Every structure is written in structure tokens, then in C-alpha cells.
Amino acid sequence: MSENYQSLAKKIVQYLGGQENITDAYHCQTRLRFKVKDEKRIDEGELEALDGVAKYINNAGVHQVVIGTHVKDVYEEVTKLVSLQSSGTSEPGEKKGPAAAVIDFVAGTFQPIIPALSGAGMVKAVLALLIVFDVITADSQTYYMLNLFADGVFFFLPMILAFTVAQKLRCNPILAASVAAMMMHPNWGALVTAGEPVHFFGVIPFTLANYTGSVIPILIVIFFQSYVEKFLNKVIPKSVELVFVPMLTFLIMGTLAFSLFGPIGSILGGYLATFFTFLSVHASWVPAVLIGGFLPIMVMFGLHNGIAPLGVMQMAELGYDSIFGPGALVSNIAQATAVAVVALRTKEKKTKQLAVSGAITAYMGITEPALYGINLPKKYPLVAAMIGGASGGLYAGLTNTHRFATGSSGLPAVLLYIGDDTMRYFWNIIIALVIAAVVSAVVTYVLSFKYETKVTIDVPDMKAVVLEDTLLINPVPGTVMPMNQVKDDAFASEALGKGFAVDEPIGEVIAPFDGKVAAVFPTKHAIGLVSDTGIELLIHVGLDTVELNGQYFDALVEAEQKVTKGQRLLTFDVQQIKAAGYVTQVPIIVTNTPQYTAVELVKEGLVAKEEEVLVVKV
């Protein structure tokens, strides 16, 4: 499948300055991340304009290219084009501030286990549905085994986390998982259940704590194990390290895990559970409102990676998540709805296509294409989505809605809210989603009347410009008249576009707006302009004056030159042109008339230069 993205990968590498400019590349769930030698070689405009690229972001020297859910396929093609230092999904070491380092550590630890948690969560959702619809009973063997399928991940969560923590800290993940296995051994569980004090060598007390399904203890244990293991690898001779490093790691970390770090983590986990319980009872609305309203901002700065694991921790401690899940779900649905409204309201074809695809993926839980492709650039749908997300989050929080398993925050995730032998939380999250969708849709729709008066188009040899309502000043002083009075059927019929004409002109042409010279005809009798607001204008001096081959004309500008309103562009000798037998009427045509709803003359008769004479409406 990745072969379908060969062309996109090649262009991304090209606009990043070529393969020789890229020093490293890796990816997360939706973005390619690059490091380069020379940032000046990056063509940001071309990169962001690529079909398949939702957004380009430069964050602290890491160049992020937002792709979407198929980022892995694009990454596979990128790896064929560049020489990489890292392994793909793990970010190479770099200097970070304390807050950034903590977020990076937490994100790097929990992101790899998301697929397992999502899969287990959906199995639990299926199990809940089977119970609700009386397909199976809670005392059946089928229920017992399906519950086992789902609970395996959560039961052995410390071992899975130990592996990912070790990968992040660059120590041996197998040794880390083995230390976690000690802490989850059934014999240790039997000692905890018996409740009799345990003293190692009769001296060192081992605190009786159950580590099954826990999070904090294993994070602390493996963090310190990474230093112990690196020290042992440094001091033990290479010839015997294969035997003695694992042995000493087990002896040292086993002792420290049961006597010091495990108990500390268990205490901290208890405090965390108390905090979660306090929030659920006294301020249940706060997390859902904050996450529901500000998740898009958190995503932009990567802060969500440090907050999302709180939901996993809460679930490990209490069996449910009300910290992150509900707010994330209503936020994503609000964003999806906002971008869907943009798709209905926008007049620009490419934006409509991007909005439709962004809405679909956002409804499924991946919001980066919608966020970076539509909502952030346009701003107003982002504001609407934040208002809608906060509104839905408020309802979810006030009703203490929570999910019973983790998973992606898209529409399928509503099944995760079935649990505790009740459908109450399921119906609450549905109501919260309806509130989020309705509020964001209404706000987006209302704001669109102000902000969707513009249409983005592509002009040959120019970057995208924006169409908007514009008043043109008179570019040729003289007598302004309707186009149908021009003594040439091609112009008078408006077959070339709507506009007006100037009779008895004074011999100069000025720029009627700020913009760019699209073309100066070799015979200098006509000039094409494109305004900064998207108007394509042809100013044609005289009828059939092409036959003069430039005689009596003097062009003061050239193609591709920027011009400002009122700047002289062209001069011509009216008397000499008349004497040569040519009509000196000057048709002024909006050549992209079909892209506008109206092109209307607002003043006729003798009009001086720089007076407003034509309105073009989107």
C-alpha cells in the first residue's frame, strides 16, 4: 500500500531541501517528523500546498508534516529516499526543558501501548453489548473467557509498560519486563494476601503491596533500573557481562523494587487515586470542560501526550476514566462537525474536498487533518469547535460520565461507555456528543457568513490567491460606459467577461488595485493584472490596436512585477492612435467573471482616475 505514496514522499523530501538536507526522520500517529541541516532550503509554501499534506509545522527545530492516518505508509516511502539515524517512531535524543522532557517521556512510554489498550477496550465493549442484549450471561464460560481476552492487557500492564519505558530510556526491555514479572509473580500475590510481614534476609522489609495492573510503581522502578543497568554495563568486563549484568540487575532491582521503589510508587498511586476520586465527587465537570474545550490547543503544542496517560492511570486505579476520555471524545466530534459545516459553506473546491475528508477522519478520532488543514487556518471553525467541545464536556462532567476502557476518541468509542451493568453512561455520552455537535455546528454556521465570503483559487504561475468582495478604482481617466456600448461584438457581448469601458481616454493606465502583473502583451496595447484579492483583469487599450505593433505605446512595468493601487502601468498617445484610424475605447474586463456572483458598474460618465467605478462580489 505504501507504494501509492511514492510521489508524495518524493515531493516532501524535495521541498525539505532534498535527501542530503535531511538528517533524521521518524513519525507518530499522524505526522512525519524531520530534522534538517539547513532550514533555509525548506520550501514551506510548496510543502504545505501538497495534496496529502494537511499542515507543515516547525517546532523547536523539528519539522512536522501532518499527513493523517496513513502516515506510516508515507513514512515507508520516505525511508527509501533518505538515510535515517533513528528507528522511526522514537524521537532522537535532544536537549529539552523539564516540562518538555516529562511530556516526551510519558508520551514515548504510553503511545506504543495504545493499540493494545484500544483493542482490549473494544473487546470489553463487545462483551458489555452481549450482556445488555442477553446474548450471554455474566456467569457463562463465554463471558469468563471474553473478559480474560480483554483483561490480559490491563492485568499485565506493568510488564508492557516496563518494556516501553525501557525502550524510551534505552535500556534492555527484556530485563525490564522480567523485573516487572517478579513484581506480578503469583507467589508474591500469595504473600500479600496472607498479610504476614516479609523480611529479605531477615533484615530488609518488603512492603506488602499488589502491583498487578498498576502504573506508577513500574515507571519508577524501570527509571532507576536504567541507571543501574548502564552502570553495570560500564564496569563489568564485556567477556562476562552477558551473565553478570542480568544477574546483578535482577538482584539489585528485585530488592529495590519490593523494598523501596515499588512501595513509593504504590503510595503515590494511592494519592493519585484519592485525587481522581475527589475530582469525580467534587469537581467532575472540570476535566471534561478543560479537555473538551482546549484539546485542539493541547494537540498543537503536544500537551495532550502528557495528559492522556492520566486516563490510563485512573483506569488502573479506579477501573474507569473520567479525566481524559469524555473530554477528548466530545472535542473530536465538535471539531469534526465544525469542519463538516465548513465543507457545506465553503465555495472553494479544494477546501471543500479537504474539509470532507478531514471531517470523516475526525469523526473516527483522528483530528489532525481537520485541525491543521481547515480549522486552524480558518480560525473561526476552531473557535466554534472549542465552544462546542466545552459545552459537551460540561454535560459529560456534570453527569460524571466515564468510560470503562481506553480506545480511540472517535464515534466507535461510545461503546466504551457501556459498563457497570448499566447503559447510563452510554446515553450520557451520546447526549454530550449531540450537545457538542449542535453547538459547534450552529456557531460555525453563524460565523461562516462573515468569514466564508472568500474563495481560494490557483492562478497559473502564481501561488493561491483569495477571492473577496472588491471595489476597483478607475484605471483609465475618461468617460466610463457600460461594456455593451463598446464598438466590438466580442467585448460588447461580454463573452470575454463582464466589466466596463472608457471612452475618450487620457493616455495612461494606472493599477486599479494592489496586485501583480500577469502579462504585458508584446505589442504593449494590453495588460493583464491579478489583484491580491483574486480579480483577474484585462485592460485593452483601443480596438484592433494590436496591428500597431507597439507603436504609440510605452509599458512601464513587466510581467510578474508587483504593483500598488494608483501606480502608472502604461502610457499611450491617444491622438496618434486616432490619427492612425483606430478606435480608442478601452475595454476593462474581469476575465474570471464566472467565479463571482456579481460584477457591477457603480459610476458612469466622466470619471477621474482613482475614483471607485466597479464592484466585484463573491
Side-chain angles (χ1 to χ4, degrees):
M1 181 181 291
S2 66
E3 293 179 358
N4 297 332
Y5 301 102
Q6 286 179 349
S7 177
L8 177 59
K10 288 179 180 178
K11 290 180 180 178
I12 289 173
V13 171
Q14 175 187 342
Y15 295 139
L16 283 168
Q19 60 185 38
E20 70 281 356
N21 194 43
I22 297 173
T23 59
D24 203 6
Y26 45 102
H27 71 89
C28 59
Q29 285 185 300
T30 57
R31 311 178 194 187
L32 296 171
R33 299 169 184 261
F34 297 91
K35 290 190 174 181
V36 300
K37 296 177 183 177
D38 185 2
E39 294 187 352
K40 294 180 181 179
R41 296 174 61 179
I42 297 176
D43 192 332
E44 298 181 13
E46 293 292 345
L47 189 60
E48 199 164 81
L50 284 175
D51 285 335
V53 173
K55 185 72 175 176
Y56 162 77
I57 305 167
N58 183 358
N59 185 8
V62 178
H63 302 272
Q64 304 175 24
V65 181
V66 182
I67 299 295
T69 54
H70 52 281
V71 64
K72 184 178 179 181
D73 296 319
V74 180
Y75 175 78
E76 288 180 8
E77 293 302 318
V78 169
T79 59
K80 299 174 183 178
L81 304 173
V82 297
S83 177
L84 304 179
Q85 296 173 2
S86 62
S87 58
T89 57
S90 59
E91 187 170 342
E94 59 183 63
K95 292 183 179 180
K96 301 181 178 70
V102 170
I103 291 175
D104 177 63
F105 170 72
V106 173
T109 298
F110 282 90
Q111 279 184 347
I113 70 172
I114 287 176
L117 293 175
S118 298
M122 292 308 295
V123 171
K124 277 187 171 290
V126 170
L127 181 60
L129 285 175
L130 293 176
I131 292 293
V132 168
F133 292 103
D134 294 325
V135 177
I136 62 175
T137 60
D139 57 357
S140 67
Q141 289 185 336
T142 301
Y143 176 91
Y144 185 85
M145 292 307 299
L146 283 175
N147 199 45
L148 182 150
F149 294 170
D151 275 348
V153 172
F154 297 98
F155 187 91
F156 291 102
L157 186 60
M159 290 181 65
I160 299 171
L161 279 174
F163 193 93
T164 60
V165 171
Q167 284 186 316
K168 186 64 183 175
L169 297 177
R170 304 185 187 280
C171 60
N172 192 314
I174 300 301
L175 294 185
S178 300
V179 170
M182 298 177 194
M183 301 170 68
M184 299 177 63
H185 198 287
N187 289 352
W188 173 252
L191 290 174
V192 174
T193 302
E196 297 182 4
V198 176
H199 290 82
F200 195 48
F201 285 107
V203 178
I204 304 174
F206 281 3
T207 301
L208 298 175
N210 193 341
Y211 300 111
T212 300
S214 63
V215 172
I216 303 296
I218 201 65
L219 293 179
I220 297 175
V221 168
I222 304 305
F223 177 80
F224 283 97
Q225 178 181 323
S226 67
Y227 289 96
V228 170
E229 185 183 323
K230 290 171 184 176
F231 173 77
L232 294 175
N233 282 322
K234 184 177 181 180
V235 300
I236 293 178
K238 297 293 182 183
S239 58
V240 293
E241 70 175 10
L242 181 63
V243 174
F244 285 99
V245 169
M247 180 190 74
L248 292 175
T249 298
F250 289 163
L251 290 175
I252 295 171
M253 291 312 304
T255 303
L256 292 175
F258 288 110
S259 65
L260 181 62
F261 297 134
I264 290 175
S266 182
I267 293 171
L268 291 177
Y271 285 135
L272 196 62
T274 301
F275 172 69
F276 290 147
T277 302
F278 174 83
L279 281 180
S280 298
V281 175
H282 300 285
S284 61
W285 61 273
V286 174
V289 170
L290 292 179
I291 301 297
F294 294 100
L295 184 61
I297 306 300
M298 296 176 185
V299 169
M300 282 188 279
F301 290 98
L303 298 177
H304 67 298
N305 292 323
I307 298 174
L310 290 176
V312 178
M313 295 178 189
Q314 184 186 25
M315 190 167 293
E317 298 292 341
L318 304 180
Y320 61 82
D321 164 30
S322 61
I323 297 294
F324 186 77
L329 182 53
V330 296
S331 175
N332 287 355
I333 298 309
Q335 277 214 73
T337 303
V339 81
V341 173
V342 172
L344 293 174
R345 292 284 297 142
T346 185
K347 301 175 183 179
E348 201 277 312
K349 185 177 180 181
K350 184 177 180 181
T351 299
K352 187 181 292 289
Q353 292 174 342
L354 184 59
V356 169
S357 63
I360 293 171
T361 56
Y363 277 124
M364 292 299 105
I366 301 297
T367 58
E368 277 84 351
L371 174 61
Y372 293 117
I374 300 295
N375 291 352
L376 182 59
K378 284 183 172 289
K379 296 183 179 62
Y380 81 88
L382 176 60
V383 172
M386 292 173 66
I387 294 173
S391 301
L394 179 61
Y395 178 85
L398 290 175
T399 55
N400 198 22
T401 300
H402 47 254
R403 60 180 179 175
F404 298 92
T406 57
S408 65
S409 296
L411 283 177
V414 297
L415 299 177
L416 304 179
Y417 292 78
I418 303 174
D420 278 358
D421 298 324
T422 178
M423 294 289 286
R424 176 163 66 96
Y425 303 109
F426 172 79
W427 293 120
N428 281 339
I429 196 63
I430 293 295
I431 294 172
L433 294 182
V434 171
I435 292 172
V438 170
V439 171
S440 60
V442 170
V443 177
T444 306
Y445 185 78
V446 170
L447 292 177
S448 71
F449 284 96
K450 178 178 180 180
Y451 293 101
E452 284 300 333
T453 59
K454 301 179 180 180
V455 182
T456 303
I457 63 168
D458 289 326
V459 180
D461 302 322
M462 294 184 66
K463 291 195 174 180
V465 295
V466 178
L467 298 184
E468 62 181 30
D469 294 354
T470 307
L471 273 170
L472 275 66
I473 64 171
N474 184 21
V476 182
T479 302
V480 172
M481 61 185 188
M483 186 70 77
N484 59 16
Q485 295 181 16
V486 175
K487 299 176 181 178
D488 183 285
D489 289 340
F491 292 117
S493 65
E494 297 185 335
L496 301 176
K498 293 185 177 182
F500 64 100
V502 176
D503 198 11
E504 298 299 329
I506 295 174
E508 68 173 350
V509 176
I510 65 170
F513 43 58
D514 294 335
K516 188 175 184 179
V517 177
V520 177
F521 285 70
T523 53
K524 305 176 186 178
H525 75 292
I527 186 169
L529 304 172
V530 178
S531 75
D532 290 340
T533 56
I535 297 172
E536 298 175 37
L537 198 71
L538 173 64
I539 302 175
H540 192 286
V541 180
L543 306 180
D544 298 320
T545 47
V546 64
E547 298 171 0
L548 290 172
N549 200 29
Q551 192 176 9
Y552 312 129
F553 293 92
D554 187 15
L556 307 178
V557 293
E558 57 187 19
E560 300 300 310
Q561 181 177 330
K562 283 280 189 181
V563 295
T564 57
K565 183 189 292 187
Q567 179 180 341
R568 294 181 78 196
L569 309 177
L570 186 72
T571 60
F572 53 96
D573 190 326
V574 178
Q575 298 306 318
Q576 292 286 1
I577 294 172
K578 281 185 176 181
Y582 294 92
V583 176
T584 58
Q585 291 177 339
V586 182
I588 299 164
I589 309 106
V590 178
T591 56
N592 59 339
T593 293
Q595 292 171 325
Y596 293 94
T597 58
V599 177
E600 299 174 355
L601 193 59
V602 297
K603 190 169 185 179
E604 295 184 36
L606 190 61
V607 179
K609 67 178 181 180
E610 300 195 27
E611 283 191 72
E612 292 176 345
V613 68
L614 189 75
V615 63
V616 181
K617 296 181 180 180
V618 175

